[in-house]
Amino acid sequence: MSLKVGDIITFERTFTETDVELFTTISCDHGIHHLTPDERGKLVVQGLLTATLPTKVGGDHNVLARSMNFEFLRPVFTSDTIICEVKIEKYEKQENNRTAISTTFLCKNQHEKEVLTGNFAGIIL
């Protein structure tokens, strides 16, 4: 699928306890808030696990990222559904037969609260 400036790509995911447990193992982020449920029985999802939403969109389009910036606005909990919108800000063919891309993104939870914002840029191979 060809992209163009102004395109918005949406992806959503509901995080589970298993997701947090697997990411804890992979990342070695053993923060107590990722291991001990709160009074509602929910775990806090690791920020970098939440950040996999915009990087998934990049992966779907074969983006080799050169920069990524994240601002974590509020916690995400297990059973939250996060909707991520990635907007294409730059999409330019280069002389070396690659395409430069830059994006901005905003992720919201199921209550329309912003949880993560940022941008990434790179090339498409």
Side-chain angles (χ1 to χ4, degrees):
M1 180 175 110
S2 181
L3 298 172
K4 63 183 180 305
V5 172
D7 282 354
I8 295 176
I9 304 161
T10 302
F11 177 69
E12 72 176 56
R13 178 177 177 179
T14 301
F15 290 101
T16 67
E17 287 184 26
T18 300
D19 294 330
V20 172
E21 291 167 3
L22 290 171
F23 198 79
T24 296
T25 299
I26 293 169
S27 68
C28 296
D29 179 351
H30 297 281
I32 193 73
H33 46 291
H34 304 308
L35 304 174
T36 306
D38 66 8
E39 65 281 358
R40 299 171 301 153
K42 297 182 176 194
L43 299 172
V44 175
V45 175
Q46 291 91 343
L48 288 179
L49 179 54
T50 305
T52 61
L53 274 74
T55 63
K56 187 263 187 225
V57 170
D60 287 347
H61 296 278
N62 301 313
V63 174
L64 182 59
R66 290 187 169 161
S67 66
M68 295 182 189
N69 295 294
F70 303 102
E71 183 177 359
F72 301 95
L73 304 173
R74 62 175 29 96
V76 172
F77 297 92
T78 50
S79 78
D80 281 355
T81 298
I82 307 302
I83 301 99
C84 181
E85 289 187 351
V86 177
K87 183 177 181 183
I88 307 302
E89 303 287 351
K90 175 182 176 184
Y91 191 84
E92 293 178 359
K93 294 281 184 195
Q94 297 180 319
E95 291 179 7
N96 60 4
N97 206 25
R98 294 183 176 179
T99 302
I101 185 170
S102 66
T103 71
T104 55
F105 57 83
L106 176 63
C107 300
K108 296 180 181 178
N109 65 18
Q110 68 276 14
H111 304 294
E112 295 291 319
K113 301 284 188 183
E114 296 179 359
V115 298
L116 173 66
T117 187
N119 59 71
F120 66 83
I123 58 168
I124 296 176
L125 301 175

